[in-house]
Amino acid sequence: PVEATDDAFWDQFWADTATSVQDVFALVPAAEIRAVREESPSNLATLCYKAVEKLVQGAESGCHTEKERQIVLNCCRLLTRILPYIFEDPDWRGFFWSTVPGAGRGGGDEDDENARPLAESLLLAVADLLFCPDFTVQSHRRSTVDTAEDIHSIDSCEYIWEAGVGFAHSPQPNYIHDLNRTELLKLLLTCFSEAMYLPPSSDSSNTNPWVQFFCSTENRHALPLFTSLLNVVCAYDPVGYGIPYNHLLFSDYREPLVEEAAQVLIVTLDYDSSTSSSPTVDGTTTGTAMDDVDPPGPDNLFVNYLSRIHREEDFQFILKGVARLLSNPLVQTYLPNSAKKIQFHQELLVLFWKLCDFNKKFLFFVLKSSDVLDILVPILYFLNDARADQSRVGLMHIGVFILLLLSGERNFGVRLNKPYSVRVPMDIPVFTGTHADLLIIVFHKIITSGHQRLQPLFDCLLTIVVNVSPYLKSLSMVAANKLLHLLEAFSTTWFLFSAVQNHHLVFFLLEVFNNIIQYQFDGNSNLVYAVIRKRNVFHQLANLPTDSQAIQKGLQRKKKTPEPISRTNSQDGVSMEGSRPAAPAEPGTLKTSLVATPGIDKLTEKSQVSEDGTMRSLEPESSQPPPEGNPPPAVSDGEPWSGETSLPRRDRRRLSSASSSGQWTPTPDWVMSWKSKLPLQTIMRLLQVLVPQVEKICIDKGLTDESEILKFLQHGTLVGLLPVPHPILIRKYQANSGTAMWFRTYMWGVIYLRNVDPPIWYDTDVKLFEIQRV
C-alpha cells in the first residue's frame, strides 16, 4: 500500500506529461487494473480518491494555468480507463457512493463537504469543468490571470456552447475547447455506464444513480448543459460550407464532440415514461398542483426540460437538425465520398424517439407539415439497407418503432400522399408514386428478402400499413402488386398452419384492403385491378380447408419450400440506378444481443376513429384478430425462425412454442375459430359486382390491355353496393416497461460498439447484453 499523503508517488499519474487518452489505454492494461483491484485494493481506492480530488481542485480554481488543465485532462483519461473495472466487480460497485475519508480532503474543517459521496463530487466537478472559461468555453473577459473570472460567480447559462433552443448567440468555434469538452463527456458517459454491468430487468425502479444525481437540482449546470448538448447536436452540419472533400483536408473537431454529446444526451434521457406521471401535452402532469407536492413532471431535469420545449422555432431547429443529419448518409453527390458521412444515425434515432415520446407537442409539430417525410425517407433507407445484416437488427427495430409511433396519428397517413420525387438510390423497383408507395415497397422488400430474425417485426410492419391505409388516396401499380404478393405468400396453407399467430398477418392485410376500398375507392383503381387479377387468393381463403387431413397436407408442403416467401412473382422489375444491394454483415462483426420486444398486442392499444375524426380508445376485450390460445411471448432478436437453435442457452429458453418446438399443433377447431372471422365480405362483394363487368368489357372489346380496364375502374363506383363501412381502427403505440428495457439495452449496445477509439468497455464483463460475433 502507498500512503495517500505520498504526493510524489501519486502525482506521477497526472502531473508529468501530456498523454493522449489512447496512450493511457495502452499504458494501463486491463490485466494490471484487475490485479491492483484484487491484490491491493487500498491503492486503487486511493488512486480514485486522488484523481477525483484533482478534478474537484481544478473545478474550484477554474483551471487558469496550462499545467492545471493538463492535470485535469490526465485525471479524466485515467478515470475513464479505470471506472469500467470498478463497475464490473459487484464488491466495488458501491465504492463511489461511499463518502471520502477526511484525510483525502486535507483536514476535516469542511464536515458537510466531506459527507458527499465520491460519485457526487466527481459529477459536480465534471459539470463545473464543462463551463470553465478558457478551458471548455470562451471567456467573456479580456483578462489576465489576476482578474480571471471566479468560477463560482459565473452564470453558465451565458456560456451555452451553441446557438439554438433558448440561446441565440453562437460562440466562435474553438477546436481546443471542443477537444476538452469531448474528453469530459467521455468520462461522464463512462460514469453513467454502470448500467451496462447490471443484467436486464423489467423493474423500472432500477434507475441509474449516476444519471439520477447528474440530472437533479443538485447540478446547478443542468439547464445550460442540457441546452448545450441538444444545440451542439442539432446545429452540426457535417458538410460544412459545401466544399467537396473538405473533410480530407483538415480534421473536423466538432464531429467527435457531437457524437459524444448525442450519446450523453440519450443516456440522460433513459427514463421509463410508462410508470411515471408523465407530463401531458402542455407539460403539466395529469394531477393538479394541489394533489402533489412535487413539481410536475419527472425529477430528471433533462427529461423535464425536454418535455417542456414548446416554441415553434425551437421545434423547427431540432427537426431540421435531426433531418439534416439523418439524411447525411444518403447525400449522393456527383463526387463519391466528397461529403463527410456521419456514423451516429442510431443515436439520432433514439434521440428523435425520446423527443416524440416525452414531448407530444413536438410530435404534433413534426406531423403538421410534410417535414416528417425528411425523417421518413432516411428511416426507410436505413431499413432497406440493413435488412440483410444480422448485426443491425436493433437499427431495424428502432426504425420500425418510430414509424409505428408516427402511424398512430392521422396526419402521418395524410402526409404520405405527397409524391415521392427525391430519388435516393435504393435497391428497390423503380416506381412513380407517393411516399406511401415507397413505404409499402420497402416493407415488402424487408419481409421477402430480409434475414429470418426480422420475423417478429412483420406484425409491426403490417400494423403501420393498416394504420395509414384509410388515408392513402392512390397507390401505384407496383405497390398494389406488392401488397397482393404479401397476401398470397401469407395465405398459403403451410404458412397459416405452421405457427399459432401467423394468420394475424392475413387479418392485417385484409384490413388494409378493406380500409382502402371502403374509404379511398375512387383513386385506387390500381389496387382494385390487382385485387381482381388475384381474386383466386381471396376465394382460396374463403374456402380454406379445416379438416385434419387437409391441415396435415398443408404442412407437408412446407418441407418442399425452404424459403419462407418465394421471391418469384414479386414483379421486382429493375432496381433504381446507383443503388447497392443490402449486404450481410462482414464476418467477424461484433453485435450485442437485445432483450425481446413485447408482442404487437402489448405494444399498441386500439383506438376507433369516429366520424368527426376524434379517437376513442377501445376496451381490449373486443380485440380482433381473436386471442386464441395465448400467442407466444415476443421473440428476441436472436430467434432463428425454423427449428435450428444457433443460440446461447439463455436465448433458447425464450424460443416460442410456435417456433417448431413441437408442442403446438393446428387443429380443425383452431382453424375454424379464426377462419369464421376473416373479414372477407367487402372484398367478396366488390368481386361479385366488378368481375362480371370487367370480363364483359374484355369479351366485347377483345381487350387484353390493362389501361382500358383501369380507365373503366377509375370511373366505376360501388356506392350503395358495399356493406356499411366498418369503423376505422388505429393501433397506437403505448409506452410500457418492456419497450423501455429494450431501448436501454439497444442504446447501451450501440454506445459499447461505437466507442472503439479508445475501447472504453471492450473486454470488460458487461451484463446488460451479450457480445456476439456474426
Side-chain angles (χ1 to χ4, degrees):
V2 183
E3 281 303 311
T5 47
D6 182 356
D7 286 340
F9 175 80
W10 296 111
D11 282 352
Q12 63 183 345
F13 284 97
W14 35 75
D16 290 357
T17 49
T19 43
S20 70
V21 67
Q22 285 76 10
D23 293 342
V24 171
F25 273 67
L27 293 169
V28 184
E32 291 192 16
I33 303 175
R34 289 193 176 112
V36 173
R37 187 183 71 194
E38 304 312 323
E39 290 153 31
S40 47
S42 67
N43 284 354
L44 183 59
T46 308
L47 183 63
C48 293
Y49 289 146
K50 288 284 191 185
V52 173
E53 187 182 25
K54 288 292 174 197
L55 290 179
V56 172
Q57 285 168 4
E60 294 276 316
S61 72
C63 284
H64 296 306
T65 66
E66 198 44 53
K67 183 168 193 248
E68 284 178 285
R69 289 172 202 162
Q70 204 48 67
I71 289 176
V72 162
L73 289 173
N74 283 339
C75 290
C76 206
R77 292 158 189 161
L78 195 63
L79 285 167
T80 303
R81 179 59 170 148
I82 292 172
L83 275 167
Y85 297 92
I86 287 188
F87 294 152
E88 72 174 3
D89 184 337
D91 298 336
W92 275 83
R93 209 164 285 144
F95 167 71
F96 268 85
W97 293 96
S98 57
T99 46
V100 181
R105 283 300 176 118
D109 325 329
E110 317 140 51
D111 288 331
D112 43 355
E113 264 301 302
N114 288 344
R116 265 213 191 286
L118 195 58
E120 295 188 2
S121 306
L122 171 57
L123 290 172
L124 293 177
V126 171
D128 279 338
L129 287 164
L130 284 167
F131 291 101
C132 196
D134 290 327
F135 179 51
T136 47
V137 290
Q138 206 72 44
S139 173
H140 287 185
R141 294 189 192 162
R142 309 287 318 128
S143 64
T144 59
V145 176
D146 319 328
T147 61
E149 292 162 89
D150 173 23
I151 192 88
H152 295 290
S153 62
I154 69 169
D155 173 7
S156 44
C157 284
E158 295 172 13
Y159 290 92
I160 288 170
W161 302 347
E162 188 56 72
V165 175
F167 192 69
H169 166 68
S170 191
Q172 270 303 113
N174 178 322
Y175 82 94
I176 301 283
H177 293 174
D178 277 1
L179 289 174
N180 294 343
R181 291 165 179 173
T182 306
E183 300 236 27
L184 286 161
L185 290 179
K186 240 191 219 352
L187 172 57
L188 201 50
L189 195 60
T190 310
C191 292
F192 295 160
S193 70
E194 186 180 354
M196 283 196 211
Y197 298 90
L198 300 169
S201 83
S202 51
D203 177 18
S204 52
S205 63
N206 201 348
T207 47
N208 183 331
W210 295 84
V211 172
Q212 197 177 8
F213 178 80
F214 191 76
C215 299
S216 72
T217 46
E218 294 269 351
N219 178 359
R220 70 188 180 101
H221 302 293
L223 179 60
L225 195 62
F226 168 76
T227 314
S228 295
L229 295 173
L230 184 62
N231 291 354
V232 156
V233 173
C234 295
Y236 178 55
D237 183 359
V239 182
Y241 296 105
I243 315 160
Y245 300 105
N246 63 354
H247 64 293
L248 303 179
L249 304 178
F250 48 83
S251 35
D252 172 359
Y253 294 101
R254 196 31 70 116
E255 190 187 23
L257 173 66
V258 174
E259 287 196 6
E260 216 62 53
Q263 292 175 2
V264 168
L265 199 50
I266 60 178
V267 170
T268 52
L269 296 170
D270 176 22
Y271 181 79
D272 182 356
S273 57
S274 63
T275 54
S276 65
S277 56
S278 55
T280 49
V281 178
D282 55 357
T284 56
T285 44
T286 35
T288 65
M290 299 307 286
D291 309 341
D292 201 342
V293 198
D294 287 334
D299 46 8
N300 174 328
L301 290 179
F302 280 40
V303 174
N304 212 328
Y305 296 143
L306 186 77
S307 67
R308 288 162 182 267
I309 298 173
H310 60 276
R311 289 173 31 210
E312 294 259 319
E313 56 268 42
D314 289 343
F315 287 156
Q316 189 60 41
F317 165 74
I318 294 172
L319 182 58
K320 277 272 178 285
V322 173
R324 177 191 332 107
L325 290 169
L326 284 177
S327 313
N328 162 273
L330 290 54
V331 175
Q332 295 290 340
T333 51
Y334 295 113
L335 304 167
N337 304 327
S338 64
K340 188 182 186 75
K341 269 207 169 69
I342 61 154
Q343 302 297 325
F344 55 99
H345 47 273
Q346 301 196 80
E347 292 94 317
L348 285 165
L349 290 172
V350 176
L351 178 60
F352 182 76
W353 170 269
K354 300 275 180 203
L355 280 156
C356 293
D357 194 20
F358 295 148
N359 191 323
K360 288 296 169 261
K361 282 186 173 169
F362 177 74
L363 177 61
F364 298 139
F365 176 84
V366 169
L367 293 166
K368 202 170 66 176
S369 72
S370 52
D371 289 348
V372 65
L373 303 175
D374 299 336
I375 300 282
L376 170 76
V377 172
I379 289 179
L380 291 175
Y381 173 85
F382 294 133
L383 290 178
N384 188 54
D385 187 52
R387 67 179 192 274
D389 180 346
Q390 292 205 12
S391 69
R392 291 196 279 167
V393 177
L395 171 63
M396 299 293 295
H397 276 73
I398 186 168
V400 172
F401 282 158
I402 289 175
L403 298 182
L404 179 65
L405 180 72
L406 295 173
S407 74
E409 307 297 333
R410 172 181 177 274
N411 265 357
F412 181 64
V414 174
R415 299 283 161 244
L416 289 178
N417 290 308
K418 188 176 175 181
Y420 174 67
S421 50
V422 224
R423 289 280 175 248
V424 175
M426 278 163 87
D427 141 41
I428 52 170
V430 178
F431 71 97
T432 306
T434 63
H435 284 75
D437 296 311
L438 176 70
L439 177 111
I440 287 169
I441 291 166
V442 168
F443 283 9
H444 173 270
K445 193 96 181 180
I446 294 169
I447 291 173
T448 57
S449 68
H451 61 80
Q452 300 196 330
R453 293 183 175 183
L454 298 178
Q455 213 218 346
L457 280 178
F458 290 2
D459 276 353
C460 265
L461 292 168
L462 293 185
T463 299
I464 294 165
V465 181
V466 173
N467 281 349
V468 300
S469 59
Y471 312 110
L472 304 183
K473 292 197 160 44
S474 73
L475 285 183
S476 69
M477 190 58 95
V478 178
N481 283 334
K482 297 298 182 203
L483 283 175
L484 278 142
H485 175 239
L486 288 179
L487 182 70
E488 208 174 358
F490 289 148
S491 59
T492 57
T493 46
W494 74 258
F495 184 78
L496 283 173
F497 297 158
S498 62
V500 69
Q501 74 285 42
N502 282 357
H503 62 274
H504 292 182
L505 301 173
V506 169
F507 275 84
F508 285 137
L509 283 163
L510 291 175
E511 204 176 325
V512 171
F513 295 133
N514 287 339
N515 281 343
I516 293 179
I517 291 166
Q518 289 278 22
Y519 291 99
Q520 299 288 352
F521 180 81
D522 289 352
N524 273 298
S525 50
N526 287 331
L527 184 80
V528 174
Y529 177 63
V531 167
I532 292 173
R533 270 192 46 216
K534 292 281 184 187
R535 55 189 179 276
N536 62 324
V537 178
F538 299 98
H539 290 303
Q540 279 166 4
L541 263 176
N543 302 316
L544 191 72
T546 54
D547 56 292
S548 309
Q549 210 175 350
I551 292 174
Q552 283 316 310
K553 202 164 145 199
L555 287 170
Q556 289 312 306
R557 263 182 243 167
K558 178 177 186 174
K559 298 197 170 62
K560 297 175 205 142
T561 353
E563 268 235 35
I565 296 172
S566 75
R567 274 176 240 178
T568 52
N569 189 12
S570 61
Q571 310 91 11
D572 249 3
V574 200
S575 271
M576 300 168 69
E577 64 174 306
S579 65
R580 295 191 317 279
E586 297 277 310
T589 307
L590 289 181
K591 69 171 203 148
T592 52
S593 64
L594 289 162
V595 293
T597 52
I600 194 74
D601 49 337
K602 301 264 189 315
L603 206 59
T604 54
E605 76 184 332
K606 290 207 181 78
S607 309
Q608 193 169 316
V609 182
S610 50
E611 310 263 317
D612 58 357
T614 54
M615 293 199 187
R616 60 186 186 83
S617 91
L618 291 181
E619 292 310 309
E621 290 86 71
S622 62
S623 79
Q624 176 270 341
E628 71 302 311
N630 296 333
V635 202
S636 81
D637 74 301
E639 228 52 309
W641 193 23
S642 51
E644 85 274 12
T645 45
S646 55
L647 276 184
R649 191 179 69 255
R650 200 176 70 172
D651 281 326
R652 221 175 288 163
R653 281 209 306 276
R654 286 195 224 128
L655 205 68
S656 64
S657 56
S659 264
S660 78
S661 41
Q663 300 148 0
W664 176 82
T665 46
T667 63
D669 287 349
W670 171 77
V671 178
M672 276 308 295
S673 74
W674 55 260
K675 180 190 165 182
S676 60
K677 295 184 177 140
L678 282 168
L680 286 164
Q681 307 79 319
T682 302
I683 295 171
M684 288 310 189
R685 187 80 187 106
L686 172 137
L687 292 173
Q688 196 184 346
V689 175
L690 292 180
V691 170
Q693 298 182 1
V694 170
E695 283 176 340
K696 185 170 185 305
I697 296 179
C698 293
I699 294 165
D700 289 357
K701 303 199 176 172
L703 273 186
T704 49
D705 181 24
E706 285 187 357
S707 59
E708 286 288 323
I709 301 169
L710 284 168
K711 205 173 291 171
F712 162 72
L713 290 174
Q714 267 160 15
H715 299 298
T717 172
L718 292 176
V719 173
L721 296 171
L722 292 180
V724 179
H726 55 286
I728 297 177
L729 271 189
I730 300 288
R731 293 170 182 80
K732 287 176 79 103
Y733 166 82
Q734 57 172 16
N736 58 55
S737 46
T739 44
M741 192 61 233
W742 184 89
F743 271 96
R744 184 169 307 152
T745 52
Y746 170 60
M747 170 183 80
W748 279 114
V750 169
I751 291 172
Y752 176 96
L753 293 174
R754 297 258 300 106
N755 282 277
V756 285
D757 181 29
I760 301 183
W761 299 282
Y762 188 67
D763 262 355
T764 58
D765 185 17
V766 293
K767 296 277 195 302
L768 185 62
F769 43 76
E770 290 173 11
I771 293 101
Q772 301 149 347
R773 281 193 186 279
V774 176

